[in-house]
Amino acid sequence: MRLLVTGGAGFIGSHIVDAEIDRGNEVAVVDNFSSGKRKNIQREAEIFEADIRDREKIFKIFENWKPTHVSHHAAQASVSVSVQHPQTDAVINIIGTLNILDACANFGVEHLVFASTGGAIYGEVPETSKASEDWTPKPQSPYAAAKATAEMYLEIYNKSYGLSYTTLRYANVYGPKQDPYGEAGVVAIFCERLIKDLPVILYARQKKGDNGCIRDYVFVKDVELVHSMAIRKKFTGTYNVSTGKGTSTLQVLQLISEALDKKPNIDFQGPRPGDLEVSILDNAKISKYFNNWTSFKDGIKETAEWFLFSHK
Ligand code: NAD
């Protein structure tokens, strides 16, 4: 396999790059380093500094490097940035994605994996249910709308040009290497702030002082293992990648403070505009292929230790 990973210097992409090199594959990265970092990639990958909006450059890379498989992870990945700048989001996440799809179709790529969002595409999920893949997407943000649009294009490219794909709808991914300085990625933010003895903000679900929103947290190494099967075409179509379990923000904070043995100084705030109250995804479909999910406690422990170590 000659695997090209767009966004390969980012949080999830860099785990894929390192693991696939360890499995003995040729791996190249396309990244504009807007949020990704070179140091995230710890193995010898071929690195192309390029923007997926630059169609000509992307086509040249495909023509010269000749990937057989493509993992498309490059994206404007922030919901709140998409709310502030919907056009920028659309140009990267829709037009940029079309550049990748066109390059795949033009240069005979065998299989493409697309990183979509399960955490945002279904909109608000009633607390007693879990969103499954056959639910009609109800995007509540430009980011989710762009991902849903890209998914529709994938289906069209599959029918029109025979482009083979797997769409992975990730829940809330957490783990080592996640950026702690964004507005999302609460596990990374809490780890960083607790280690530095800084107060942590807990946004309410409904009312200041409550336990916060409920999310379905999935460990990045499990995501990578699911991806490793998807890229080898073990399954095609659209899959949630999630544990199917809901955890409140306060529970996340408690587990991290236990793992780091630090007492948090909590700054309780009201609900953050645009945040979904609850998002839990049904994982029955993917569980036929992968069912060895890391427990949240173990994943948090490994993540907290990584953040501690990276501060030494
Ligand atoms: P990330 O920001 O760490 O990674 C995105 C990477 O894409 C970065 O390396 C960035 O530099 C690069 N990039 C951004 N715009 C680019 C452009 N125009 N051209 C080339 N490279 C560009 O984010 P992540 O959390 O690793 O997310 C990876 C993918 O998974 C994204 O597509 C994201 O939407 C999706 N996703 C992530 C989560 C999550 O919980 N982290 C959940 C659902 C979906």
Side-chain angles (χ1 to χ4, degrees):
M1 174 162 67
R2 287 176 69 76
L3 173 65
L4 187 138
V5 184
T6 74
F11 163 47
I12 302 170
S14 63
H15 281 273
I16 292 169
V17 170
D18 286 352
E20 290 298 355
I21 291 175
D22 285 348
R23 291 186 190 107
N25 297 293
E26 298 285 320
V27 180
V29 168
V30 164
D31 204 297
N32 70 352
F33 297 98
S34 52
S35 64
K37 298 179 197 75
R38 273 173 202 272
K39 71 167 190 213
N40 281 344
I41 305 166
Q42 285 158 352
R43 305 286 186 276
E44 286 296 312
E46 176 121 28
I47 296 179
F48 298 106
E49 184 162 351
D51 195 301
I52 57 168
R53 288 168 287 191
D54 187 342
R55 187 176 174 87
E56 218 173 295
K57 198 165 178 182
I58 293 296
F59 269 55
K60 270 266 158 302
I61 292 168
F62 273 68
E63 190 179 2
N64 293 332
W65 199 74
K66 300 182 176 42
T68 56
H69 295 73
V70 171
S71 173
H72 181 36
H73 278 71
Q76 186 304 106
S78 156
V79 171
S80 68
V81 168
S82 83
V83 173
Q84 286 154 19
H85 307 286
Q87 292 213 3
T88 310
D89 180 85
V91 177
I92 298 170
N93 290 353
I94 301 176
I95 305 296
T97 296
L98 281 176
N99 289 336
I100 300 298
L101 301 194
D102 282 337
C104 288
N106 267 279
F107 295 101
V109 166
E110 288 169 32
H111 193 64
L112 167 84
V113 172
F114 174 57
S116 187
T117 169
I121 208 163
Y122 301 107
E124 200 65 65
V125 177
E127 204 170 340
T128 47
S129 24
K130 296 175 187 182
S132 65
E133 293 84 346
D134 53 6
W135 283 27
T136 306
K138 288 207 177 88
Q140 313 274 306
S141 63
Y143 167 75
K147 289 284 185 183
T149 306
E151 284 194 11
M152 287 190 272
Y153 275 108
L154 263 175
E155 222 178 296
I156 293 164
Y157 274 62
N158 174 259
K159 292 213 170 80
S160 307
Y161 311 113
L163 179 61
S164 167
Y165 74 93
T166 304
T167 289
L168 299 178
R169 288 180 176 166
Y170 299 146
N172 280 61
V173 188
Y174 72 96
K177 298 202 272 193
Q178 190 163 29
D179 182 1
Y181 301 110
E183 93 298 336
V186 75
V187 171
I189 296 169
F190 284 175
C191 284
E192 175 84 8
R193 296 189 70 85
L194 283 184
I195 288 168
K196 291 184 172 167
D197 292 316
L198 294 168
V200 293
I201 296 175
L202 199 152
Y203 291 106
R205 173 177 163 186
Q206 289 170 334
K207 225 168 134 241
K208 198 168 168 168
D210 67 23
N211 292 355
C213 298
I214 293 174
R215 292 285 180 274
D216 185 332
Y217 291 94
V218 61
F219 192 44
V220 70
K221 292 187 180 175
D222 295 347
V223 168
E224 192 287 315
L225 288 171
V226 169
H227 178 277
S228 72
M229 287 185 268
I231 200 74
R232 288 167 180 78
K233 228 173 147 174
K234 298 267 192 268
F235 46 86
T236 59
T238 302
Y239 292 79
N240 288 341
V241 183
S242 69
T243 63
K245 296 196 177 94
T247 307
S248 72
T249 316
L250 186 64
Q251 285 172 313
V252 173
L253 183 56
Q254 282 164 344
L255 273 178
I256 296 173
S257 57
E258 269 168 37
L260 291 170
D261 197 18
K262 293 254 189 186
K263 203 172 169 332
N265 172 7
I266 309 177
D267 174 7
F268 286 97
Q269 297 278 333
R272 192 166 52 167
D275 273 354
L276 299 172
E277 283 191 35
V278 181
S279 173
I280 306 174
L281 312 183
D282 187 5
N283 68 3
K285 194 175 173 191
I286 193 66
S287 292
K288 286 185 197 123
Y289 302 94
F290 182 86
N291 205 5
N292 193 19
W293 306 100
T294 304
S295 75
F296 194 44
K297 198 169 175 201
D298 289 350
I300 286 291
K301 190 164 174 287
E302 189 172 334
T303 307
E305 276 164 10
W306 183 87
F307 273 93
L308 253 186
F309 185 73
S310 69
H311 279 85
K312 279 185 181 147

